[in-house]
Amino acid sequence: MNHFNPSTYFCFSYFNDLNSQTVAERLLFQYRGLLSFNPELFANGSRILSLPLFSEDDIKSLCFEVEKTFTANPAILELTSPIVIVGDLHGQILDLFRILKEFKLPDKGTKYLFLGDIVDRGDFSLETISLVFALRAIYPENVFIIRGNHEFTELCSNSGFKQEIIQTYDSTELFDSFIECFNYMPIAAVINQNIVCVHGGIGPNWFALSQIKDIKRPISDFENEIIASVMWSDPTYNLKEYGESPRGSGHLFGEDALNEFLHLNSKSLLVRGHECVQRGCEYMFNEKLITVFSASNYCGRVNNESATFVVKSESEKEIKTFPPLVYLTRENVQFRREKNAF
């Protein structure tokens, strides 16, 4: 006569549960334990960071799932507070860990908006974008992403992301899967019908938010002048209106240009990323524009603070600043192949 063993049943059930999970759920399961630690321990070497390594097919599947969520959303997202706005991360995964530890995972009700430039420059672009994508796939009503200029082939094929994928998987096919997904990312967001969020800025030929709605996705390059302005433009005190950008794309824009854009669209604030600022967040133009940068000690050279911009309600906003972390490189991290069960 066979006897029922509860512990054996639990292990079998647990194994089956993991096998039935999506890639996104499995990936988040692997990261949850890491998010419980103070990221400073990994940064200063007190604790070795051990990151999961998923199969190429798994990450391709994740890209496909996230692409479907992007195509289900319009090019301009309509969002409401409370929401945590995250600026450029540039593959610095410990800064992402710190933000998620501070504000909690979306399953606790926290909403996030990422302003793009999740990849390139830093040493963990693949892991950073995979974790953000997993959160997007699992919590599509709480995690939102708009595109940055580094989510275009022209940049991320030459600024670290593609090379990182080739080093890890000895393949370019996974890079192509990410690019296909990036090409469907939303372009801008509006919070509480009053706050415009983009990656870079504005341009002289972009005067109405509705113009973005008319741009068809997928978008593969910067040939559209509105896309170039949204992705590349920067504010400056040296001009009132518009001028040529030293970046070679987009524009420089001044306070008068911004005031006109906000007035024409009945908005009061422009939130953008794209530039490393020393305190992580920086207001300009009588607090009608704020730059948010969420990668601290950018590339190990700047020693800048990082920050998030939290829209708590229509009238209450808060800047949350974090001190610089010691810059972590890929050589100082362990990688372990993901398994579906212990």
Side-chain angles (χ1 to χ4, degrees), residues 87-93 116-125 128 149-150 199 274 293 295 298-299 327:
D88 303 32
L89 286 167
H90 280 298
Q92 298 191 191
I93 197 166
D117 277 15
I118 298 168
V119 302
D120 277 346
R121 309 296 190 204
D123 271 29
F124 303 95
S125 292
T128 305
N149 58 320
H150 280 269
H199 176 70
H274 196 43
F293 199 80
Y298 182 37
C299 295
Y327 188 71

Side-chain angles (χ1 to χ4, degrees), residues 119-186:
V119 302
D120 277 346
R121 309 296 190 204
D123 271 29
F124 303 95
S125 292
L126 179 57
E127 292 75 24
T128 305
I129 190 66
S130 295
L131 179 52
V132 172
F133 271 12
L135 294 171
R136 168 66 187 170
I138 299 169
Y139 308 106
E141 301 302 316
N142 283 55
V143 177
F144 304 93
I145 309 168
I146 60 176
R147 196 174 184 181
N149 58 320
H150 280 269
E151 279 79 47
F152 282 78
T153 309
E154 185 177 326
L155 268 74
C156 64
S157 62
N158 299 297
S159 301
F161 185 44
K162 184 175 184 179
Q163 292 85 345
E164 191 178 302
I165 290 175
I166 292 173
Q167 274 186 346
T168 305
Y169 293 101
D170 192 26
S171 168
T172 60
E173 291 183 6
L174 180 56
F175 177 75
D176 295 337
S177 294
F178 274 107
I179 292 301
E180 183 176 341
C181 183
F182 291 167
N183 288 346
Y184 285 93
M185 277 182 170

Side-chain angles (χ1 to χ4, degrees), residues 19 39 49 76 115 165 177 194 279 299 309 341:
N19 276 336
L49 179 61
I76 301 183
L115 298 179
I165 290 175
S177 294
N194 196 38
R279 296 296 306 276
C299 295
F309 184 59

Side-chain angles (χ1 to χ4, degrees), residues 154-309:
E154 185 177 326
L155 268 74
C156 64
S157 62
N158 299 297
S159 301
F161 185 44
K162 184 175 184 179
Q163 292 85 345
E164 191 178 302
I165 290 175
I166 292 173
Q167 274 186 346
T168 305
Y169 293 101
D170 192 26
S171 168
T172 60
E173 291 183 6
L174 180 56
F175 177 75
D176 295 337
S177 294
F178 274 107
I179 292 301
E180 183 176 341
C181 183
F182 291 167
N183 288 346
Y184 285 93
M185 277 182 170
I187 304 303
V190 176
I191 300 172
N192 294 337
Q193 301 182 330
N194 196 38
I195 301 171
V196 180
C197 301
V198 296
H199 176 70
I202 59 175
N205 292 319
W206 183 35
F207 48 84
L209 290 173
S210 59
Q211 289 174 273
I212 287 182
K213 296 178 182 178
D214 296 331
I215 300 174
K216 303 297 183 184
R217 292 174 291 171
I219 302 167
S220 59
D221 53 46
F222 304 112
E223 289 186 5
N224 183 293
E225 189 171 346
I226 295 174
I227 295 297
S229 295
V230 170
M231 299 297 162
W232 286 95
S233 292
D234 298 292
T236 178
Y237 287 114
N238 297 324
L239 295 168
K240 289 294 185 181
E241 296 290 343
Y242 292 98
E244 184 177 344
S245 172
R247 296 181 186 266
S249 187
H251 304 271
L252 294 175
F253 62 95
E255 186 171 5
D256 288 354
L258 177 67
N259 286 338
E260 182 180 20
F261 177 84
L262 293 175
H263 173 72
L264 288 173
N265 290 280
S266 301
K267 304 293 183 277
S268 65
L269 177 66
L270 180 72
V271 181
R272 42 93 65 179
H274 196 43
E275 286 185 284
C276 177
V277 290
Q278 197 62 39
R279 296 296 306 276
C281 275
E282 181 178 276
Y283 274 112
M284 292 180 68
F285 305 152
N286 198 28
E287 298 194 354
K288 291 185 178 180
L289 177 146
I290 187 166
T291 298
V292 185
F293 199 80
S294 298
S296 73
N297 190 17
Y298 182 37
C299 295
R301 299 192 299 266
V302 183
N303 203 39
N304 60 290
E305 297 175 315
S306 67
T308 57
F309 184 59

